[in-house]
Amino acid sequence: MSDFDTKPQVFNFRKTAAGPPRKVTASKAARIVQSGGSVATEKKILTNQKNNIGKAAKILDDDHDSLAHKKVDFNLRAAIQKYRQQKGLTQQQLATAINERASVVTEYENGKAIPNESVVQRMEKALGVHLRGALKGQPFVKPGKK
């Protein structure tokens, strides 16, 4: 029993198999064990009725899918690769144009990157075409110019 337990443990001692187990204190349970008897230990856990911690913990334990990061959509990866090749750029050249490493472009094209809005916007500007949304595939026009 640790120093932080707020409620004592319950020790059950059964002298004969016929009767129900008796509750005894920790010191009596220790004496019974020393004399060769058997003691069943049961620790009671108190739960708050308003915030049932056990129920919330079970929900968290059962929820494995919501912890995965969102990855680049297939349509976005295909669009980046298509328009980069149409423009005749290598991954390294596109990365230089958007001030990123070549591995960032590779991760976007392979679908392993976690989407970053600013990186996608810089790719759209560098490629000169919208890569997503309703304007997908249309030439990219800077805001304010028509």
Side-chain angles (χ1 to χ4, degrees):
M1 199 159 93
S2 72
D3 296 335
F4 299 104
D5 288 339
T6 56
K7 294 288 179 186
Q9 291 183 337
V10 177
F11 297 97
N12 295 324
F13 171 66
R14 186 183 307 237
K15 223 172 200 171
T16 63
R22 293 184 317 179
K23 292 183 181 178
V24 295
T25 63
S27 59
K28 283 186 181 179
R31 276 189 250 131
I32 293 169
V33 170
Q34 286 174 353
S35 66
S38 64
V39 178
T41 306
E42 172 187 337
K43 184 161 184 160
K44 296 195 175 185
I45 299 173
L46 299 176
T47 59
N48 187 349
Q49 295 299 328
K50 285 185 179 178
N51 301 323
N52 192 344
I53 296 170
K55 188 176 185 180
K58 181 170 178 11
I59 291 171
L60 284 174
D61 286 342
D62 292 342
D63 186 19
H64 299 291
D65 296 331
S66 66
L67 299 177
H69 290 288
K70 182 181 176 187
K71 301 289 184 186
V72 175
D73 182 48
F74 176 78
N75 296 326
L76 179 59
R77 346 179 336 211
I80 292 170
Q81 192 171 22
K82 174 184 172 185
Y83 293 114
R84 176 184 60 80
Q85 289 173 347
Q86 277 184 359
K87 201 157 185 181
L89 297 174
T90 64
Q91 289 180 343
Q92 178 63 49
Q93 291 169 335
L94 177 58
T96 304
I98 63 171
N99 295 324
E100 290 287 345
R101 296 178 317 240
S103 62
V104 172
V105 176
T106 303
E107 287 175 356
Y108 270 84
E109 288 187 2
N110 291 336
K112 295 179 181 176
I114 298 171
N116 184 339
E117 187 70 24
S118 66
V119 173
V120 175
Q121 284 178 344
R122 286 185 276 155
M123 283 185 184
E124 287 177 334
K125 287 179 185 177
L127 296 172
V129 67
H130 287 279
L131 298 172
R132 64 224 150 106
L135 300 175
K136 181 180 174 184
Q138 296 181 7
F140 186 79
V141 181
K142 292 182 181 177
K145 292 186 178 181
K146 289 191 177 184

